[in-house]
């Protein structure tokens, strides 16, 4: 088994991250939506410019897991984006994993 490296994503990671995010969403939830609706959602939610903006935004922190073949996973944290029921003083949301 190859070691897995966990690191913070960089702007140069955006294309691979966008592809991985769309793939994992499609594989997890793809059967729940009509194909046209799914593709429309993926084109908006995981568009390269959107991912690039998230990586530049200080309210987001994205971590990627890499193995010898490329990205094996990722997590996106969003500071300050919480549901009204969250009452912690300094909350952060795990937005994607």
């Amino acid at each position: 088994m190859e070691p897995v490296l966990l690191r913070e994503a960089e702007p140069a990671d955006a294309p691979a991250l966008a592809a991985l995010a769309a793939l994992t969403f499609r594989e997890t939830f793809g059967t729940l939506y009509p194909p046209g609706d799914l593709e429309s959602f993926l084109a908006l939610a995981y568009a390269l410019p959107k991912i690039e903006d998230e990586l530049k935004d200080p309210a987001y922190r994205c971590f990627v897991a890499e193995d010898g073949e490329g990205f094996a996973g990722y997590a996106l944290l969003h500071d300050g984006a919480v549901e009204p029921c969250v009452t912690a003083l300094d909350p952060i949301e795990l937005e994607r994993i």
Side-chain angles (χ1 to χ4, degrees):
M1 179 181 216
E2 292 192 35
V4 175
L5 171 69
L6 181 64
R7 65 173 177 81
E8 193 154 2
E10 302 170 354
D13 296 323
L17 186 57
L20 176 62
L23 174 67
T24 57
F25 188 93
R26 181 181 285 113
E27 288 183 355
T28 305
F29 303 108
T31 60
L32 303 176
Y33 302 98
D37 292 349
L38 176 64
E39 294 309 314
S40 294
F41 171 77
L42 294 175
L44 291 173
Y46 302 113
L48 183 56
K50 183 174 188 318
I51 301 301
E52 289 171 333
D53 288 346
E54 289 173 349
L55 292 178
K56 293 176 190 172
D57 187 335
Y60 287 93
R61 291 193 68 195
C62 185
F63 296 89
V64 293
E66 285 183 290
D67 62 15
E69 297 180 28
F71 289 165
Y74 77 103
L76 181 68
L77 304 174
H78 191 179
D79 190 16
V82 297
E83 299 297 321
C85 62
V86 176
T87 59
L89 295 177
D90 193 17
I92 191 163
E93 178 183 5
L94 175 57
E95 198 166 288
R96 295 186 207 135
I97 190 166

